[in-house]
């Protein structure tokens, strides 16, 4: 649809070749069009506008939806049913996006991790529209953080421990903890569901400090939850957070370390799944506050995908970087580690 626009101090007159003469007073409508100056003998006070058609995303096949939005049609519909009250525009004035279009625009940004204008070009909307859609969806998903991200999980604690025990025989585990350079500190269960996330710290802060000053660390220290976390050498060994031996001796300590490594691998796989599903987490070009909201939104969406049995994207697990900072283990933590090593892996 092609328009000629003549600028006036009072309003914009839009002349549509297909619909005769139409008057448009809404600058938002103009902003959603592609503007370019005409050439030749035309007068410079005229603009030529092309209205970009909106995509009917939900009409595309399943493989198209998963590749671009990381969800099936049924799951997109489910997420939309949750977020609809929070993201719906109050009016369609200026060709405002529908709530489905807002959700899909944000999902596409989360999935491909590209620049806002690239997402806008793909969705036939402006960069500013993409920015607003992502912000709306992030704030809406924060309402569901404590529903979908719950420690130690939605299952009974006994069932969580049994799932971890089946991996390599490590007892009493209720979660595995690790961090990434974004930074994100997450805890997950054996099914790759994220049960706790810390995303409010700058990247220069070490993982051990983030955990030490978290509310979960205080809760674990006070014995609110019966069980152990498994972490790497970036954390100090504590009574509730067990790390591997720095130099395991042959025999029970080596068996302990192998079982510890195989069990803790679940969190590395979870981080790999999270970043593969939502490529934006590999590099966020936003302010720290916005980055925190995007991380939380992606974690909630990740858990929804796992719970609903969505197919996994191609897993990309990077080799873990060697942590040069090894906090000193607590004495009581070493005692607990030795007891597990002797009683479980000493036979």
């Amino acid at each position: 649809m092609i328009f000629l626009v003549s600028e006036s101090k009072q309003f914009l007159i839009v002349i549509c070749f297909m619909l005769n003469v139409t008057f448009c007073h809404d600058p938002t409508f103009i902003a959603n069009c592609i503007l370019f100056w005409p050439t030749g003998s035309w007068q410079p006070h005229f603009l030529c506008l092309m209205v970009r058609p909106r995509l009917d995303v939900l009409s595309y096949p399943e493989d198209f939806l998963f590749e671009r939005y990381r969800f099936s049609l049924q799951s997109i519909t489910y997420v939309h049913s949750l977020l609809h009250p929070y993201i719906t525009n109050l009016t369609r004035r200026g060709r405002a996006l529908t709530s489905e279009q807002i959700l899909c625009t944000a999902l596409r940004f989360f999935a491909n991790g590209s620049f806002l204008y690239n997402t806008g070009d793909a969705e036939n909307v402006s960069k500013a529209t993409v920015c607003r859609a992502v912000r709306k969806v992030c704030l809406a998903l924060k309402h569901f953080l404590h529903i979908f991200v719950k420690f130690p999980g939605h299952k009974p604690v006994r069932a969580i421990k049994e799932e971890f025990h089946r991996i390599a025989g490590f007892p009493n585990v209720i979660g595995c903890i690790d961090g990434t350079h974004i930074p994100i500190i997450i805890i997950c269960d054996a099914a790759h569901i994220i049960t706790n996330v810390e995303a409010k710290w700058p990247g220069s802060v070490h993982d051990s400090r983030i955990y030490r000053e978290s509310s979960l660390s205080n809760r674990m220290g006070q014995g609110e939850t019966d069980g152990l976390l498994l972490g790497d050498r970036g954390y100090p060994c504590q009574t509730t957070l067990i790390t591997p031996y720095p130099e395991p001796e042959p025999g029970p300590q080596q068996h302990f370390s192998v079982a510890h490594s195989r069990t803790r691998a679940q969190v590395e796989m979870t981080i790999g799944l999270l970043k593969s599903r939502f490529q934006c987490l590999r590099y966020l070009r936003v302010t720290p506050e916005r980055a925190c909201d995007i991380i939380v939104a992606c974690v909630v969406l990740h858990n929804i995908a796992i719970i609903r049995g969505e197919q996994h994207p191609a897993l990309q697990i990077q080799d873990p970087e060697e942590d040069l900072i090894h906090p000193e283990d607590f004495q009581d933590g070493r005692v607990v580690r030795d007891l597990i090593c002797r009683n479980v892996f000493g036979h």
Side-chain angles (χ1 to χ4, degrees):
M1 188 178 297
I2 305 298
F3 298 90
L4 287 180
V5 178
S6 176
E7 297 189 51
S8 169
K9 294 181 179 180
Q10 302 297 326
F11 51 82
L12 296 174
I13 303 176
V14 180
I15 305 174
C16 177
F17 289 119
M18 298 177 64
L19 301 177
N20 295 324
V21 178
T22 301
F23 292 89
C24 175
H25 304 269
D26 189 353
T28 306
F29 174 80
I30 302 300
N32 287 330
C33 301
I34 301 175
L35 285 78
F36 57 91
W37 285 103
T39 58
S41 60
W42 290 14
Q43 297 299 319
H45 62 277
F46 282 99
L47 292 173
C48 186
L49 303 175
M50 181 182 298
V51 179
R52 294 188 282 191
R54 299 292 190 223
L55 299 180
D56 183 11
V57 172
L58 302 185
S59 66
Y60 289 118
E62 291 288 344
D63 56 345
F64 181 97
L65 293 176
F66 179 78
E67 182 180 356
R68 290 161 178 79
Y69 304 98
R70 293 296 191 261
F71 284 96
S72 64
L73 174 60
Q74 290 75 19
S75 290
I76 291 176
T77 303
Y78 171 75
V79 175
H80 176 259
S81 68
L82 297 177
L83 305 188
H84 177 265
Y86 302 98
I87 64 176
T88 301
N89 286 312
L90 299 179
T91 177
R92 290 301 309 279
R93 183 180 180 185
R95 299 178 71 244
L97 298 183
T98 65
S99 54
E100 292 92 344
Q101 291 167 337
I102 291 173
L103 172 61
C104 289
T105 298
L107 288 179
R108 190 155 192 165
F109 171 78
F110 297 150
N112 65 30
S114 185
F115 292 97
L116 291 173
Y117 65 80
N118 286 341
T119 303
D121 291 345
E123 293 293 310
N124 282 357
V125 296
S126 67
K127 174 183 174 181
T129 301
V130 176
C131 185
R132 289 192 295 268
V134 170
R135 187 62 178 160
K136 273 191 173 183
V137 171
C138 285
L139 294 179
L141 285 168
K142 287 179 71 174
H143 290 89
F144 298 91
L145 174 62
H146 298 294
I147 297 176
F148 288 101
V149 182
K150 182 180 179 182
F151 185 82
H154 296 88
K155 303 174 186 176
V157 174
R158 180 178 178 180
I160 296 173
K161 292 180 180 180
E162 289 177 350
E163 289 181 350
F164 275 117
H165 187 268
R166 284 196 293 267
I167 297 173
F170 210 102
N172 209 31
V173 178
I174 57 174
C176 297
I177 183 172
D178 201 2
T180 69
H181 68 280
I182 291 178
I184 314 173
I185 299 292
I186 71 169
I187 299 174
C188 73
D189 65 11
H192 309 301
I193 293 177
I194 297 173
T195 57
N196 189 80
V197 58
E198 291 284 341
K200 61 184 179 180
W201 293 82
S204 58
V205 179
H206 194 264
D207 292 355
S208 60
R209 180 188 171 188
I210 296 176
Y211 175 72
R212 183 176 68 249
E213 299 190 13
S214 67
S215 60
L216 179 61
S217 176
N218 296 328
R219 289 165 52 195
M220 292 288 291
Q222 294 170 5
E224 290 188 15
T225 304
D226 175 34
L228 302 172
L229 298 177
L230 299 187
D232 60 18
R233 291 285 297 155
Y235 303 91
C237 187
Q238 306 174 35
T239 56
T240 57
L241 198 168
I242 304 301
T243 61
Y245 286 98
E247 296 179 0
E249 298 176 358
Q253 289 190 8
Q254 198 155 20
H255 298 325
F256 172 97
S257 296
V258 171
H260 185 285
S261 177
R262 287 180 56 192
T263 306
R264 199 185 65 81
Q266 304 309 304
V267 71
E268 296 173 357
M269 292 182 63
T270 300
I271 292 174
L273 286 172
L274 177 66
K275 290 187 175 182
S276 296
R277 191 181 300 277
F278 304 113
Q279 296 283 331
C280 70
L281 296 181
R282 298 191 178 277
Y283 187 81
L284 289 171
R285 305 174 184 87
V286 294
T287 62
E289 179 187 358
R290 296 293 177 92
C292 179
D293 290 339
I294 290 174
I295 292 168
V296 168
C298 290
V299 166
V300 174
L301 290 171
H302 166 88
N303 280 2
I304 291 175
I306 297 295
I307 293 170
R308 293 184 58 83
E310 287 289 312
Q311 62 175 305
H312 295 325
L315 191 58
Q316 302 174 6
I317 300 180
Q318 298 178 346
D319 293 333
E321 296 181 1
E322 180 66 23
D323 197 329
L324 301 179
I325 301 177
H326 296 161
E328 184 177 356
D329 296 334
F330 291 90
Q331 178 62 36
D332 52 359
R334 290 198 295 266
V335 171
V336 172
R337 182 170 61 192
D338 290 339
L339 284 174
I340 296 173
C341 180
R342 181 171 60 253
N343 295 337
V344 179
F345 301 99
H347 304 294

